[in-house]
Each structure stands twice: as C-alpha cells, then as structure tokens.
Amino acid sequence: MNINKIQEDLQKLLPNGVVRSGEVLKSYVFTQIGGKADILAAPVSYEEIRTIVTYARENHIPLTILGNGSNVIIRDGGIRGIVLQTSELSQIEIQGEVLVAQCGAKIIDASYYALEHQLSGLEFACGIPGTVGGALYMNAGAYGGEVKDVLESALALNQSGEMVTLRGDDLEWGYRHSIFASGEYIVLEARFALKQGDPAQIKASMDELTHLRESKQPLEYPSCGSVFKRPPGRYAGQLIQESGLQGTRIGGAEVSRKHAGFIVNADNATASDYIGLIHHVRAAVKDKFGVELETEVKIIGEE
C-alpha cells in the first residue's frame, strides 16, 4: 500500500473530514494502549462514510471501524489500512417518543438526552461508555437492560454501499451479539423507541445505577471494561476471584483488585501485557473450574 497516496486521495474525497497518517491509536481507546494506524479517517457525514467504504473496497485496502474504543484492545503493531473513526457523527435528537442518535454518539449521552426529554427506556445505558454504533454491534447491556429491548430500527450501510433500514427484530440479537458483528453492515444511525416517564423516577434510577457502577468498578484506571462474557449460569468475575487472580500482573496490566472481571492498565501496559494476562486468566479458570471464558472485548490490529 502507498500510504501517502491513500492519504492524498482521502483528503480530496473528504474535504470536511479528518485524515491523518501514522496516528497513534492509544489516545482513541479506553485502555490507552495500541500502535499506529496507517490512515485514520474521521468522516463528518454518512455520505463520507460511504465514500471511505467504497474507496477501500475498490482499492482492496483493509478497513477497520473504531468508535469510542471502550471495548477494544489494539495490538502494539497498530492497524493496517484505513481506520474509520466515528466520533464526528454524534448528533442526537428526539422525534416524539423516539430518540434518534448517530453512530458516533455516546450511548451515555443518549441516555441523559432521553432523561432531559422525560423519556424512559435507556436508563440501563447511563454507565455504558461506548458509542451508539458499538452498542448496537454488541447488543450492549447492563443491570438487566439491553439495546435490543428498545431499538426500533437502524440505518446501516451494506456491502454494496447502499443505505438500508433494518428493523430491530431483524438484527439477530444474542448475548453481546447482533447482525452487525458479521461485517455485512455498518451502523449509521439508531432509533430507540422510548416511553414518557416521570423524570424524577428516571433520574433516581440512573443515579442508583451510576452509584453501583462507581462503587464496584475500577474507574480510576484505564481499562476496556468487562473483559469476559458471562458464562452460562456463572459470573466471570466470581470465577476469576475464586481462582485467586486479583492483583495478578503481567507487565503493566493487572487483574483489578476492586472487580475481578476487569483488567486495568495499572502502569503503562502494552497490548502484549494485556493479552498475555487475558490468556493467563483464561487458563487458570479453565484449570480450576473447567470453564472456558470467552472474551467480550474485541482484540484487533497487528502484533
């Protein structure tokens, strides 16, 4: 790949967007680790997303979508090709009892926007740090609520470059999974069907969930949130804790002493530290309990 040519091409195609080469990605992810992107492109419209996707496909250039980076580990070698970063697409609006949010909007912001308009249904998302696009991608959830419970429809870009509307019932929901994980579609926009509610009750619920999150999670350190999916009938954090792994370190990565389901960047960790500790935790839990922990965090990029 000719990186300079790709950058020049994209700068012409995206006159209003941001295009950078050799961008260090650790400032774009919650773990604060990761190498460089060959090209980072931050579009400001759906049409610019389509332009990037079409350009990458026609020129056989790898394309990676990156939102808020809250549930991602980027390897130390960085990411080849183009990283499409969605943070510039963050508008949120209300249409009756429907909240419409662009893919790069933070799902936390969406929940508080709903509160401002006395709409109930997104309270569970008040502590989820990802974007709306990422929340749809993995059917994000917390404290008994999931995106699938309130999603009316999504505007998406298909592999042919067409913008299509997908109904909520068509998104193949699963635990931390949706049709978007297949790579067939890119989320552009979400429509959440909410209901009028008592703002005092909505706020009280969100305050309670925020307190629970702040009291239980190691928010004082960079991390990717819950590393592992919940195994059937068990809790990953409990299995890790009962394996005696809290405080275990590889390099600067540490199994949180506050919540065993989290691995934190305690001291300038590398992605290799983080991934090595994930493998160690999985092996120890498998050895003690016979349970194969499955990662919830997405690990991307080159060694």
Side-chain angles (χ1 to χ4, degrees), residues 25-26 37 60 83 117 125 127 132 141 144 149 190 192-193 203-204 236 246 299 302:
L25 292 170
K26 64 194 228 175
H60 309 289
V83 174
H117 291 80
V132 166
D149 300 332
F192 297 102
K203 186 176 186 302
Q246 284 181 283
I299 301 172
E302 306 294 322

Short mmCIF file of all heavy atoms in Angstrom, two decimals, residues 25-26 37 60 83 117 125 127 132 141 144 149 190 192-193 203-204 236 246 299 302:
data_model
loop_
_atom_site.label_atom_id
_atom_site.label_comp_id
_atom_site.label_asym_id
_atom_site.label_seq_id
_atom_site.Cartn_x
_atom_site.Cartn_y
_atom_site.Cartn_z
N LEU A 25 -2.90 5.27 18.12
CA LEU A 25 -4.28 4.97 18.45
C LEU A 25 -4.58 4.87 19.94
O LEU A 25 -5.74 4.80 20.33
CB LEU A 25 -4.70 3.66 17.75
CG LEU A 25 -4.77 3.74 16.22
CD1 LEU A 25 -4.94 2.36 15.63
CD2 LEU A 25 -5.89 4.68 15.78
N LYS A 26 -3.56 4.86 20.77
CA LYS A 26 -3.83 4.66 22.19
C LYS A 26 -4.67 5.78 22.79
O LYS A 26 -5.37 5.57 23.78
CB LYS A 26 -2.55 4.46 22.98
CG LYS A 26 -1.61 5.62 23.00
CD LYS A 26 -0.27 5.11 23.53
CE LYS A 26 0.37 5.89 24.56
NZ LYS A 26 1.57 5.31 25.10
N ALA A 37 -2.18 3.75 13.39
CA ALA A 37 -2.99 3.45 12.21
C ALA A 37 -2.23 3.92 10.98
O ALA A 37 -1.63 5.01 10.99
CB ALA A 37 -4.33 4.18 12.28
N HIS A 60 -8.96 -2.37 -2.54
CA HIS A 60 -8.53 -3.55 -1.77
C HIS A 60 -7.69 -3.15 -0.55
O HIS A 60 -6.63 -3.74 -0.27
CB HIS A 60 -7.74 -4.52 -2.66
CG HIS A 60 -8.44 -4.86 -3.95
ND1 HIS A 60 -9.57 -5.64 -3.99
CD2 HIS A 60 -8.19 -4.48 -5.23
CE1 HIS A 60 -9.99 -5.75 -5.24
NE2 HIS A 60 -9.17 -5.06 -6.02
N VAL A 83 -8.43 3.23 9.25
CA VAL A 83 -9.28 3.19 10.44
C VAL A 83 -10.32 4.29 10.30
O VAL A 83 -9.98 5.47 10.22
CB VAL A 83 -8.47 3.38 11.74
CG1 VAL A 83 -9.41 3.47 12.94
CG2 VAL A 83 -7.48 2.24 11.92
N HIS A 117 -35.64 14.84 28.16
CA HIS A 117 -36.94 14.92 27.46
C HIS A 117 -37.99 14.00 28.10
O HIS A 117 -38.99 13.66 27.47
CB HIS A 117 -36.74 14.57 25.98
CG HIS A 117 -35.97 15.63 25.24
ND1 HIS A 117 -34.59 15.72 25.30
CD2 HIS A 117 -36.38 16.66 24.45
CE1 HIS A 117 -34.19 16.75 24.56
NE2 HIS A 117 -35.26 17.33 24.04
N ALA A 125 -28.38 2.26 30.20
CA ALA A 125 -27.19 2.63 29.43
C ALA A 125 -26.42 3.80 30.02
O ALA A 125 -25.42 4.23 29.45
CB ALA A 125 -27.60 2.96 28.00
N GLY A 127 -24.34 4.10 32.22
CA GLY A 127 -22.95 3.87 32.60
C GLY A 127 -22.15 3.12 31.56
O GLY A 127 -21.00 2.74 31.81
N VAL A 132 -23.09 4.65 20.23
CA VAL A 132 -24.34 4.03 19.79
C VAL A 132 -24.05 2.91 18.79
O VAL A 132 -24.63 1.82 18.86
CB VAL A 132 -25.28 5.09 19.18
CG1 VAL A 132 -26.43 4.44 18.42
CG2 VAL A 132 -25.81 6.00 20.28
N GLY A 141 -25.40 -4.03 27.16
CA GLY A 141 -26.39 -4.07 28.21
C GLY A 141 -25.77 -3.95 29.58
O GLY A 141 -24.56 -4.10 29.75
N GLY A 144 -29.73 -5.52 33.73
CA GLY A 144 -31.00 -6.08 33.29
C GLY A 144 -31.57 -5.51 32.01
O GLY A 144 -32.61 -5.98 31.54
N ASP A 149 -33.80 -4.36 23.63
CA ASP A 149 -35.09 -4.11 24.28
C ASP A 149 -35.75 -2.82 23.80
O ASP A 149 -36.97 -2.67 23.91
CB ASP A 149 -34.92 -4.04 25.80
CG ASP A 149 -34.34 -5.31 26.40
OD1 ASP A 149 -34.57 -6.39 25.82
OD2 ASP A 149 -33.67 -5.22 27.45
N ALA A 190 -29.26 5.02 14.88
CA ALA A 190 -30.19 4.17 15.62
C ALA A 190 -31.42 4.94 16.03
O ALA A 190 -31.34 6.14 16.35
CB ALA A 190 -29.51 3.59 16.86
N PHE A 192 -34.36 4.62 18.87
CA PHE A 192 -34.76 3.93 20.10
C PHE A 192 -36.20 4.32 20.44
O PHE A 192 -36.52 5.51 20.58
CB PHE A 192 -33.84 4.31 21.26
CG PHE A 192 -32.41 3.89 21.06
CD1 PHE A 192 -31.45 4.81 20.67
CD2 PHE A 192 -32.03 2.57 21.26
CE1 PHE A 192 -30.13 4.43 20.49
CE2 PHE A 192 -30.70 2.18 21.08
CZ PHE A 192 -29.76 3.12 20.69
N ALA A 193 -37.05 3.31 20.58
CA ALA A 193 -38.45 3.54 20.95
C ALA A 193 -38.57 3.62 22.46
O ALA A 193 -38.40 2.61 23.16
CB ALA A 193 -39.32 2.41 20.40
N LYS A 203 -34.44 9.77 36.75
CA LYS A 203 -33.17 10.23 37.31
C LYS A 203 -32.76 9.40 38.51
O LYS A 203 -31.58 9.07 38.69
CB LYS A 203 -33.28 11.71 37.71
CG LYS A 203 -31.92 12.29 38.17
CD LYS A 203 -32.04 13.76 38.48
CE LYS A 203 -30.66 14.34 38.80
NZ LYS A 203 -30.00 13.66 39.94
N ALA A 204 -33.71 9.05 39.36
CA ALA A 204 -33.39 8.25 40.55
C ALA A 204 -32.82 6.89 40.13
O ALA A 204 -31.85 6.41 40.73
CB ALA A 204 -34.64 8.06 41.41
N ALA A 236 -18.18 -14.32 35.38
CA ALA A 236 -16.75 -14.38 35.09
C ALA A 236 -15.92 -13.81 36.24
O ALA A 236 -14.92 -14.39 36.65
CB ALA A 236 -16.45 -13.63 33.79
N GLN A 246 -6.92 -11.95 41.53
CA GLN A 246 -6.94 -10.50 41.70
C GLN A 246 -5.57 -9.99 42.11
O GLN A 246 -4.91 -10.55 42.99
CB GLN A 246 -7.99 -10.09 42.73
CG GLN A 246 -9.40 -10.16 42.17
CD GLN A 246 -10.45 -9.73 43.16
OE1 GLN A 246 -10.79 -10.48 44.06
NE2 GLN A 246 -10.99 -8.52 42.98
N ILE A 299 -10.23 -7.75 20.21
CA ILE A 299 -8.79 -7.57 20.07
C ILE A 299 -8.49 -7.46 18.58
O ILE A 299 -8.78 -8.36 17.81
CB ILE A 299 -8.02 -8.74 20.69
CG1 ILE A 299 -8.38 -8.85 22.19
CG2 ILE A 299 -6.52 -8.55 20.52
CD1 ILE A 299 -7.80 -10.10 22.87
N GLU A 302 -2.26 -5.58 14.58
CA GLU A 302 -1.11 -6.44 14.29
C GLU A 302 -0.23 -6.60 15.52
O GLU A 302 -0.15 -5.70 16.36
CB GLU A 302 -0.27 -5.81 13.16
CG GLU A 302 -1.06 -5.48 11.91
CD GLU A 302 -1.58 -6.72 11.21
OE1 GLU A 302 -0.86 -7.72 11.18
OE2 GLU A 302 -2.72 -6.67 10.69
#
